[in-house]
Amino acid sequence: MRRYSRIRGTGSFLPPRRLTNAELAAELAQRGVETSDEWIVERTGIRARHFAAPEVTSSDLAFEACQRALEAAGVGAADIDLIIVATSTPDMVFPSTACILQHRLAQSSEAARGILGCPAFDVQAVCSGFVYALTVADAMIQSGAAQRALVVGAEVFSRILDFNDRTTCVLFGDGAGAVVLEASDTPGILASDLHADGRHVGILCVPGNVAGGQVLGDPLLKMDGQAVFKLAVGVLEKSAHAALAKAGRTEADIDWLIPHQANLRIMQSTARKLKLPLDKLVVTVDQHGNTSAASIPLALDVAVRSGKVRAGDTLMLEGVGGGFTWGAVLLDL
Ligand code: UT7
């Protein structure tokens, strides 16, 4: 019998500090940076984002999201035998945020100590990170290498924003989302389609690095927004169609499109190209901004907990971002 993987529970966490566009614009004005709620809403659909307190790390946000996902799945940390964290804002250069998360989870109760020893690693594919991580976890579960995985997207993008650059600092936020993915006789994940084109490294990057005891180069996010926009609208449609073809399904089978939450215009354009009515599009970018690898699992969890997305629904998840990377995962919930 073929072995599949299936999402058993979802969870998410947003740091409590929420800034509306007007509040962010007022803070930026004090630096002489001019923006407005009107511009941000019109160009992106974003109305608010959450920023973590200075001492809060990606693993802190991931820990909260995982606790919620474990509770929703009705399993304990000790039942997990694989941890994959998608992040571009890791706690440290190394070890991985996944290892730090494993330690935090193990400390949460005596019973949770059973999570120690399982493989734990990070996936770095920027805003496509969650679809990459889900695909890796699915492959490991299908092969029998794992039985039940925590797959997480967690980011503190506020740490790498240049608050003097209005073209980027109004777009991003912090947060985390997680799923418990487990082996199943029935799908589950139906198909994945992943891509990267390294020619476009420069259009979305944090070019700095750590060397010789110093940060070398610029450790803040740079983006050519228009170049990213143009690439994103093209590849998202292609990747969704590729995933549908691999699964032998059609656009009409999609109950919900849950794309990376970066820009409402990109998301709506993808929905239109897939001939989906806009009410089949899950939108959280208005409340969360762009949380990079966290955006898809955050949107999924919000949609599940609101009762919008239900067990048995067919979901198209789609990521796109720095690398340039992109991909889609089609699944039955
Ligand atoms: O997460 C990875 C994926 N990332 C994305 O998908 C992002 C893709 N790109 C985008 O979402 C859009 O390109 C942006 C939202 C970043 C920008 O929207 P746009 O419609 O492409 O605007 P633009 O860059 O063409 O800028 C239009 C104008 C410019 O002024 P001029 O040159 O027309 O006078 C900008 O200087 O808007 C100005 N502008 C702003 N004005 C007020 C840029 N940022 C701001 C701002 N507030 N925050």
Side-chain angles (χ1 to χ4, degrees):
M1 193 189 295
R2 198 180 149 189
R3 195 175 149 101
Y4 297 94
S5 75
R6 188 165 205 131
I7 291 178
R8 175 157 169 176
T10 67
S12 64
F13 183 73
L14 291 159
R17 184 170 176 239
R18 178 178 183 271
L19 263 90
T20 63
N21 289 345
E23 288 163 342
L24 179 61
E27 284 194 11
L28 293 174
Q30 289 174 11
R31 299 169 170 261
V33 175
E34 204 186 314
T35 188
S36 66
D37 176 51
E38 293 71 29
W39 189 94
I40 302 169
V41 171
E42 188 194 313
R43 302 288 174 133
T44 71
I46 297 167
R47 294 178 185 275
R49 76 286 293 140
H50 291 247
F51 283 157
E55 69 284 1
V56 171
T57 63
S58 286
S59 70
D60 292 326
L61 303 181
F63 173 74
E64 299 294 341
C66 287
Q67 293 283 63
R68 287 161 170 77
L70 290 167
E71 198 185 326
V75 299
D79 299 317
I80 297 298
D81 62 3
L82 171 66
I83 304 171
I84 307 182
V85 176
T87 185
S88 298
T89 47
D91 292 23
M92 301 181 189
V93 172
F94 71 79
S96 68
T97 302
C99 286
I100 299 168
L101 171 65
Q102 184 194 47
H103 185 215
R104 282 289 306 277
L105 288 165
Q107 284 178 314
S108 63
S109 73
E110 193 54 37
R113 287 175 57 82
I115 197 170
L116 293 171
C118 78
F121 57 91
D122 290 359
V123 160
Q124 161 56 290
V126 203
C127 303
S128 309
F130 187 75
V131 293
Y132 267 65
L134 200 57
T135 302
V136 173
D138 173 50
M140 288 182 71
I141 288 174
Q142 281 192 51
S143 75
Q147 178 71 20
R148 191 174 294 114
L150 267 173
V151 187
V152 190
E155 303 280 14
V156 283
F157 254 56
S158 58
R159 302 290 151 69
I160 52 167
L161 295 178
D162 178 353
F163 285 98
N164 292 313
D165 176 7
R166 68 178 183 171
T167 69
T168 53
C169 72
V170 301
L171 305 175
F172 295 89
D174 302 337
V179 302
V180 173
L181 189 75
E182 70 176 14
S184 163
D185 294 341
T186 53
I189 293 185
L190 300 163
S192 288
D193 180 66
L194 298 183
H195 298 275
D197 184 344
R199 286 175 301 174
H200 304 294
V201 162
I203 62 171
L204 177 48
C205 59
V206 176
N209 68 71
V210 178
Q214 297 177 44
V215 175
L216 296 187
D218 191 341
L220 298 176
L221 183 147
K222 311 274 169 254
M223 179 167 74
D224 178 344
Q226 288 194 3
V228 173
F229 194 108
K230 276 182 204 142
L231 280 171
V233 290
V235 297
L236 286 171
E237 181 203 359
K238 274 193 200 144
S239 200
H241 279 130
L244 286 169
K246 285 181 194 176
R249 303 264 184 126
T250 70
E251 293 156 339
D253 295 319
I254 300 172
D255 293 308
W256 297 101
L257 175 63
I258 310 186
H260 171 47
Q261 310 278 320
N263 187 316
L264 189 58
R265 290 186 289 148
I266 298 176
M267 294 160 61
Q268 290 178 338
S269 144
T270 307
R272 277 189 214 102
K273 287 181 176 176
L274 294 174
K275 301 183 194 74
L276 293 178
L278 292 184
D279 59 8
K280 288 192 169 191
L281 178 65
V282 171
V283 176
T284 50
V285 69
D286 56 332
Q287 296 303 318
H288 303 168
N290 179 348
T291 58
S292 193
S295 90
I296 295 171
L298 253 166
L300 171 63
D301 185 52
V302 168
V304 166
R305 283 172 197 261
S306 70
K308 196 181 228 187
V309 168
R310 295 179 187 179
D313 284 351
T314 300
L315 314 182
M316 175 66 79
L317 313 184
E318 285 208 281
V320 61
F324 198 69
T325 56
W326 67 98
V329 174
L330 184 71
L331 62 92
D332 285 342
L333 197 63

